[in-house]
């Protein structure tokens, strides 16, 4: 969502950081560009004005930290101001209240209320180990109650039985008493929406609020609606009193202005963001991490958190043992590819790595699309178990059979086998403890360093990044060109990212000469 804003801002900063000293004119010119970029990104006008005024005020009299150029200092000031605009600290949904904790979901029709309710319930159940009950109060939209029931079945979350003819307030009362009797920790109330805000809707919301006395009232807003989402939040807040916002469709190609304006205009924190259709596509909103992504500094902490959730620890431990012995067959390669898919594919992972934003065009040219993983997994699945364990058996006739079985050319099969050979050689070196990568991965088969995300967050705050790389205090870790490399050295196969080049990653070969 923030791609175009990110590209604009990095272009502006590239001009600035190349200069030794900055005059007031340079700062003013950069601020003009920043203002234009924010307005194009659909950020509310009063917010843009206050943002640029604060940046100017800080930049003109800023003391420059030693080892940081004035241009880099402006980047830091803009970063800090972005974090302030988005809300200083991330605020998750508060469950600190006597059980059952009622959470009321409000919003217009089509904003993704019901889906978001199910996502939150799944998260509380699986991650926080809470007993959750969902109840649909939407008696207006056809099949709304059935939709929540089906989502509950898919995600192993209990839903309140449907009784025809009951009104929203009756359902809310029944949900609260059922939760008390059933020993539930959390009750999620999915209320009805309208196409636009009207008086009956607000009266209904107020009645449900009085009946259930919710601890949190979460407004679900579609981030693609731009500034209208901000007006919506203000209206709901005035009438019902919201405690937080969940923004949906953050994976869309909207301009991101709503997300940037929400906190500043309403004073209510954005607590959650929906990043896709699947039931696990929900993230906590961390202002600092979003600011880092917008300014192309990556988001290593979120990547490690994602890895911790997606990677099967037992599977990783098994693979680590095999690697230490220097074994790495095609089954293992398929497992690695599946885990990369779980982490959002190549584009999802690359987007979170520092400094990679500028390489997007090169990455696209290398053909690094996520369908490639599916093709490569299909090739491996077209082999017999013996062939997967002993790739040396694969002669021309077998390759032809595998290619037709997986619907690709023989050249694709050869490319995969070459990639596997290179990775297997590397694993042997890692098994012997050679090379920087062995130390970096700590011998872990899951493909990510074994780092606690909280520890990593603390390190980033204190200006230190993994492997003891010190940065000037207060400067965000991993900012390209700020004295600290964007990535730990030795990340394999990512050209230009500080590590030894190795064609270990699919599709990152030299490609055809143009």
């Amino acid at each position: 969502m923030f791609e175009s804003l990110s590209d604009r801002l990095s272009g502006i900063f590239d001009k600035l950081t190349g200069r030794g000293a900055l005059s007031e004119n340079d700062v003013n010119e950069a601020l003009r560009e920043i203002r234009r970029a924010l307005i194009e990104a659909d950020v509310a006008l009063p917010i843009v004005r206050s943002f640029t005024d604060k940046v100017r005020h800080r930049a003109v009299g800023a003391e420059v930290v030693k080892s940081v150029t004035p241009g880099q200092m402006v980047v830091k000031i803009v970063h800090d101001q972005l974090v302030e605009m988005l809300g200083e600290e991330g605020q998750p949904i508060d469950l600190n209240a006597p059980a059952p904790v009622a959470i009321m979901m409000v919003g217009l029709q089509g904003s993704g209320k019901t889906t978001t309710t199910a996502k939150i319930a799944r998260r509380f159940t699986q991650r926080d180990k809470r007993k959750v009950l969902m109840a649909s109060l939407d008696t207006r939209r056809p099949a709304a109650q059935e939709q929540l029931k089906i989502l509950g079945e898919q995600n192993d979350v209990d839903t309140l039985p449907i009784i025809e003819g009951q009104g929203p307030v009756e359902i809310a009362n029944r949900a609260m008493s059922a939760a008390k009797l059933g020993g539930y920790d959390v009750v999620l109330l999915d209320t009805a929406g309208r196409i636009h805000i009207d008086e009956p809707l607000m009266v209904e919301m107020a009645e449900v609020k009085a009946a259930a006395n919710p601890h949190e009232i979460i407004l679900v807003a579609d981030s693609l609606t731009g500034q209208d989402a901000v007006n919506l939040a203000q209206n709901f807040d005035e009438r019902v009193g919201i405690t937080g916002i969940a923004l949906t469709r953050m994976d869309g190609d909207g301009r991101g202005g709503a997300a940037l304006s929400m906190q500043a205009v309403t004073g209510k924190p954005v607590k959650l963001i929906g990043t896709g259709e699947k039931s696990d596509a929900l993230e906590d909103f961390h202002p600092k991490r979003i600011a880092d992504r917008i300014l192309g500094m990556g988001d290593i902490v979120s990547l490690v958190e994602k890895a911790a959730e997606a990677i099967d620890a037992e599977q990783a431990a098994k693979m680590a043992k095999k690697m230490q012995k220097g074994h790495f067959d095609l089954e293992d390669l398929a497992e690695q590819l599946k885990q990369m898919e779980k982490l959002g594919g190549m584009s999802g992972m690359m987007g979170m790595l520092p400094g990679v934003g500028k390489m997007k065009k090169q990455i696209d040219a290398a053909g690094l699309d996520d369908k490639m993983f599916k093709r490569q997994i299909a090739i491996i699945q077209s082999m017999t178990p013996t062939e997967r364990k002993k790739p040396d058996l694969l002669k021309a006739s077998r390759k032809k059979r595998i290619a037709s079985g997986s619907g690709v050319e023989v050249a694709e099969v050869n490319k995969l086998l070459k990639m596997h050979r290179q990775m297997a050689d590397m694993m042997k070196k890692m098994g012997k403890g050679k090379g920087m990568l062995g130390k970096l991965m700590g011998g872990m088969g899951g493909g990510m360093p074994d780092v606690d995300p909280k520890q990593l967050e603390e390190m980033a705050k204190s200006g230190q990044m993994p492997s003891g790389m010190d940065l000037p205090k207060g400067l965000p870790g991993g900012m390209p060109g700020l004295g600290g490399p964007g990535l730990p050295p030795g990340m394999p196969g990512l050209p230009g990212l500080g590590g030894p080049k190795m064609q270990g990653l699919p599709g990152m070969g030299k490609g055809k000469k143009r």
Side-chain angles (χ1 to χ4, degrees):
M1 171 160 276
F2 296 113
E3 263 177 31
S4 57
L5 177 63
S6 182
D7 290 348
R8 284 291 303 273
L9 290 178
S10 62
I12 296 163
F13 294 141
D14 282 348
K15 286 181 198 168
L16 282 181
T17 47
R19 300 180 187 184
L22 286 184
S23 67
E24 203 168 321
N25 281 347
D26 291 333
V27 173
N28 287 338
E29 192 186 324
L31 283 173
R32 259 199 309 279
E33 290 287 327
I34 289 170
R35 187 189 294 118
R36 199 172 295 150
L38 289 173
I39 289 170
E40 278 179 19
D42 201 18
V43 178
L45 197 59
I47 307 298
V48 176
R49 284 202 191 107
S50 103
F51 182 87
T52 48
D53 287 348
K54 283 176 183 170
V55 171
R56 178 181 285 108
H57 179 70
R58 285 184 185 183
V60 170
E63 278 188 34
V64 177
V65 180
K66 278 180 188 169
S67 84
V68 177
T69 67
Q72 289 164 350
M73 201 66 202
V74 173
V75 178
K76 172 174 166 23
I77 290 166
V78 170
H79 176 271
D80 290 351
Q81 200 54 50
L82 258 181
V83 173
E84 195 180 297
M85 178 164 91
L86 291 163
E88 290 292 332
E89 285 294 323
Q91 293 184 35
I93 290 179
D94 180 24
L95 295 180
N96 193 11
V101 182
I103 296 169
M104 184 172 153
M105 309 291 288
V106 300
L108 295 185
Q109 241 174 39
S111 59
K113 256 198 320 298
T114 306
T115 317
T116 305
T117 303
K119 284 180 182 179
I120 294 171
R122 179 184 193 272
R123 183 175 246 229
F124 283 157
T125 309
Q126 295 191 358
R127 196 183 72 174
D128 303 330
K129 305 293 179 247
R130 303 293 174 111
K131 194 177 177 190
V132 183
L133 178 69
M134 297 193 293
S136 175
L137 279 58
D138 191 348
T139 53
R140 294 173 60 87
R141 184 165 63 90
Q145 291 175 302
E146 280 79 5
Q147 183 191 354
L148 193 68
K149 181 176 171 243
I150 290 164
L151 286 169
E153 286 165 5
Q154 286 171 352
N155 294 297
D156 293 326
V157 179
D158 295 338
T159 48
L160 190 74
I162 301 164
I163 295 177
E164 292 296 329
Q166 281 197 334
V169 177
E170 286 173 281
I171 300 171
N173 286 327
R174 187 159 60 90
M176 294 313 292
S177 55
K180 280 172 191 157
L181 292 169
Y184 286 91
D185 300 312
V186 183
V187 183
L188 285 163
L189 302 170
D190 177 27
T191 63
R194 299 281 192 282
I195 292 167
H196 55 83
I197 292 170
D198 60 9
E199 195 54 34
L201 171 70
M202 289 308 179
V203 171
E204 188 181 296
M205 295 298 112
E207 286 172 354
V208 171
K209 183 183 173 183
N213 189 22
H215 182 59
E216 288 255 26
I217 298 176
I218 303 291
L219 170 72
V220 181
D222 184 345
S223 55
L224 297 183
T225 53
Q227 284 316 298
D228 206 36
V230 180
N231 303 334
L232 174 81
Q234 282 178 305
N235 281 326
F236 266 100
D237 192 32
E238 282 162 18
R239 295 297 301 271
V240 191
I242 60 174
T243 58
I245 299 159
L247 280 175
T248 57
R249 299 195 207 170
M250 289 289 282
D251 56 325
D253 55 1
R255 288 173 292 179
L260 296 176
S261 313
M262 278 286 191
Q263 160 89 19
V265 172
T266 63
K268 304 294 174 187
V270 176
K271 296 198 170 194
L272 295 163
I273 50 175
T275 54
E277 290 293 322
K278 290 182 182 170
S279 52
D280 59 350
L282 187 74
E283 287 180 22
D284 288 321
F285 184 82
H286 293 281
K288 187 188 170 301
R289 298 187 201 175
I290 296 283
D292 286 355
R293 284 191 212 179
I294 291 172
L295 295 184
M297 297 166 203
D299 187 356
I300 290 282
V301 184
S302 289
L303 187 58
V304 172
E305 275 182 357
K306 238 181 175 180
E309 282 176 29
I311 288 166
D312 181 346
E314 279 181 40
Q315 188 69 37
K318 273 186 204 165
M319 201 174 283
K321 279 182 187 167
K322 285 181 80 172
M323 284 180 185
Q324 277 163 358
K325 291 175 187 168
H327 296 315
F328 184 76
D329 60 27
L330 285 159
E331 289 276 11
D332 299 326
L333 176 59
E335 197 55 48
Q336 292 277 351
L337 292 169
K338 282 174 194 166
Q339 287 189 354
M340 283 181 84
E341 260 195 309
K342 275 187 195 169
L343 287 171
M346 198 45 130
S347 53
M349 284 172 64
M350 290 297 221
M352 290 185 178
L353 293 173
V356 178
K358 293 175 186 175
M359 291 169 51
K360 269 200 188 102
K361 283 174 188 162
Q362 290 164 261
I363 291 166
D364 292 343
L368 266 177
D369 62 335
D370 297 334
K371 287 178 192 162
M372 183 182 64
F373 287 135
K374 286 189 171 64
R375 280 202 301 275
Q376 291 179 328
I377 292 166
I379 293 169
I380 296 170
Q381 285 172 341
S382 300
M383 298 174 188
T384 65
T386 316
E387 287 169 344
R388 287 175 217 166
K389 287 192 174 68
K390 295 178 183 173
D392 297 338
L393 295 173
L394 295 171
K395 299 292 180 264
S397 59
R398 292 188 186 225
K399 285 179 188 173
K400 209 176 269 183
R401 188 202 78 236
I402 291 161
S404 61
S406 52
V408 297
E409 299 290 320
V410 175
E412 290 268 346
V413 180
N414 286 332
K415 208 185 281 180
L416 178 86
L417 292 172
K418 184 183 175 188
M419 181 181 94
H420 169 258
R421 253 198 323 278
Q422 289 172 331
M423 288 180 85
D425 291 345
M426 195 178 104
M427 295 308 167
K428 277 179 193 163
K429 284 181 189 171
M430 270 178 71
K432 293 169 189 166
K434 285 181 187 171
M436 184 66 205
L437 192 79
K439 293 171 197 167
L440 174 78
M441 294 300 192
M444 190 180 154
M448 279 302 292
D450 192 9
V451 186
D452 176 25
K454 281 183 186 147
Q455 215 179 328
L456 204 56
E457 188 102 71
E458 289 306 311
M459 287 166 100
K461 277 182 189 168
S462 65
Q464 235 195 6
M465 277 313 277
S467 46
M469 303 166 188
D470 283 314
L471 292 172
K473 280 275 179 275
L475 278 177
M479 193 190 274
L482 283 188
L487 263 183
M491 274 294 245
L494 301 180
L497 281 185
K501 281 192 192 177
M502 184 202 102
Q503 289 88 35
L505 273 176
M508 286 297 253
K510 288 174 184 169
K512 289 178 187 172
K513 288 184 182 173
R514 293 184 187 282

